[in-house]
Amino acid sequence: MLVDRDCPPALVERAARDGVRRLAYEAHDVTVELHAGLAALDDAPDLVALGHAVEALRVVKDDGELALLREACAIGDRALAETLGQIAPGLTEREVAHRLENAMVDLGADGVAFETIVATGPHSAIPHHQPTHREIVRGDLLKIDFGARYRGYHADCTRTVVVGADPSGWQAEIYQVVRAAQRAGRHALAVGADIRDVDAAARDVVVAAGYGDHFPHGLGHGVGLEIHEAPMMGYRATGRLDARTPVTVEPGIYLPGRGGVRIEDTLVVGTQAHGAPELLTTTPKDLLVL
């Protein structure tokens, strides 16, 4: 074990003392300046770029990791159920975010997996909106993207609801398109599936409905010790899905100035005997009116 406030040079110096002549580093994390400083240390080993080998090893999870992810997702589901029961017109986006985050911690989370997104009305058309003091208005779409962090593992879930009034025609329409796309993306998850084909399964539904220009991001990503891990699932992605790989499926439609819908689940590929992915986020996906 090595404990040092400035770890990289300490590790290089320790490797030199131990007779190590070649030392791998992660070029995507080490800056040019840091690399130059490490290479200039006395008796520094040859520094060799490792690539993304560590990230590749983390794609497939073991039983213990999957158990922690299941618990992180379960905490999030319970916290969302508690919070939805408290939402009403007049609450601000920040107030909703704080209540949800506090509920996750009270239910056993170590903290949040990422900064909670609470987006109301026209703000819901911004894919990664940060909560503000905007108050919820009757008839608003309310998009909540959140997750609990439990013993180092990150959950991810998004639900979109309507507050205080029945959904308008356009709200119901884009919701049903996103729900159909999300269902298609989930059903495309399988061991050996081409990641680009999984994205296309969901994206084609959105495109066919005439909203292709309003789905600007990838379909999903891996989760684990970080909230965004390999594999990244999008229309430019490469590779195939492995068994025991947790991923998100999160299509969306965002209409600037009006509102948007995203539905997201965390699932695990290849753990079910019948071949279907295991659903970890179980909050219902019906269009809920609060």
Side-chain angles (χ1 to χ4, degrees), residues 14-23 43-46:
R14 172 65 177 271
R17 289 198 303 271
D18 290 349
V20 174
R21 301 316 309 158
R22 299 178 76 233
L23 185 65
D43 299 320
D46 292 334

Side-chain angles (χ1 to χ4, degrees), residues 60-70 244 271:
V60 175
K61 270 61 174 180
D62 62 26
D63 288 343
E65 291 177 298
L66 292 178
L68 296 176
L69 277 169
R70 290 186 188 102
R244 308 178 67 80
T271 56

Side-chain angles (χ1 to χ4, degrees), residues 152-207:
Y153 284 79
H154 297 66
D156 201 353
C157 178
T158 306
R159 293 293 185 266
T160 306
V161 301
V162 180
V163 182
D166 289 336
S168 64
W170 70 269
Q171 290 173 334
E173 178 181 336
I174 65 172
Y175 191 93
Q176 294 309 320
V177 173
V178 172
R179 186 172 182 186
Q182 209 257 355
R183 184 184 302 114
R186 295 198 325 265
H187 290 173
L189 295 175
V191 176
D194 187 298
I195 293 172
R196 193 174 301 180
D197 290 344
V198 177
D199 179 271
R203 193 171 301 277
D204 287 352
V205 175
V206 179
V207 171

Side-chain angles (χ1 to χ4, degrees), residues 14 28 36 61 185 238 240 248 272 281:
R14 172 65 177 271
H28 50 286
K61 270 61 174 180
T238 59
R240 296 183 179 275
T248 68
Q272 303 289 82
T281 46

Side-chain angles (χ1 to χ4, degrees), residues 14-266:
R14 172 65 177 271
R17 289 198 303 271
D18 290 349
V20 174
R21 301 316 309 158
R22 299 178 76 233
L23 185 65
Y25 70 97
E26 295 183 310
H28 50 286
D29 280 338
V30 174
T31 66
V32 172
E33 181 179 7
L34 176 58
H35 180 273
L38 297 177
L41 293 173
D42 291 340
D43 299 320
D46 292 334
L47 299 177
V48 180
L50 180 63
H52 290 267
V54 173
E55 288 84 352
L57 288 171
R58 282 168 46 182
V59 168
V60 175
K61 270 61 174 180
D62 62 26
D63 288 343
E65 291 177 298
L66 292 178
L68 296 176
L69 277 169
R70 290 186 188 102
E71 182 59 23
C73 290
I75 289 171
D77 281 330
R78 295 195 294 270
L80 182 62
E82 286 188 11
T83 305
L84 289 179
Q86 304 170 20
I87 292 174
L91 281 179
T92 68
E93 293 172 343
R94 288 187 178 181
E95 287 171 333
V96 174
H98 290 160
R99 291 185 185 196
L100 178 56
E101 291 170 353
N102 289 338
M104 286 190 284
V105 172
D106 289 345
L107 289 166
D110 299 329
V112 297
F114 54 92
E115 185 175 349
T116 301
I117 296 171
V118 175
T120 62
H123 289 171
S124 62
I126 303 170
H128 298 101
H129 174 72
Q130 293 183 324
T132 69
H133 290 296
R134 183 186 186 275
E135 294 183 356
I136 299 171
V137 176
R138 283 177 54 86
D140 272 351
L141 284 170
L142 170 61
K143 182 182 68 189
I144 303 176
D145 187 345
F146 71 103
R149 188 181 75 254
Y150 180 72
R151 295 180 62 183
Y153 284 79
H154 297 66
D156 201 353
C157 178
T158 306
R159 293 293 185 266
T160 306
V161 301
V162 180
V163 182
D166 289 336
S168 64
W170 70 269
Q171 290 173 334
E173 178 181 336
I174 65 172
Y175 191 93
Q176 294 309 320
V177 173
V178 172
R179 186 172 182 186
Q182 209 257 355
R183 184 184 302 114
R186 295 198 325 265
H187 290 173
L189 295 175
V191 176
D194 187 298
I195 293 172
R196 193 174 301 180
D197 290 344
V198 177
D199 179 271
R203 193 171 301 277
D204 287 352
V205 175
V206 179
V207 171
Y211 293 102
D213 291 341
H214 299 286
F215 179 14
H217 55 73
L219 180 63
H221 53 85
V223 292
L225 290 172
E226 297 181 78
I227 188 56
H228 294 109
E229 292 193 350
M232 303 304 292
M233 300 199 301
Y235 54 87
R236 294 192 182 95
T238 59
R240 296 183 179 275
L241 292 174
D242 293 318
R244 308 178 67 80
T245 299
V247 296
T248 68
V249 175
E250 49 181 297
I253 293 175
Y254 313 93
L255 305 181
R258 299 178 72 188
V261 170
R262 180 161 66 245
I263 302 172
E264 175 186 18
D265 285 312
T266 297

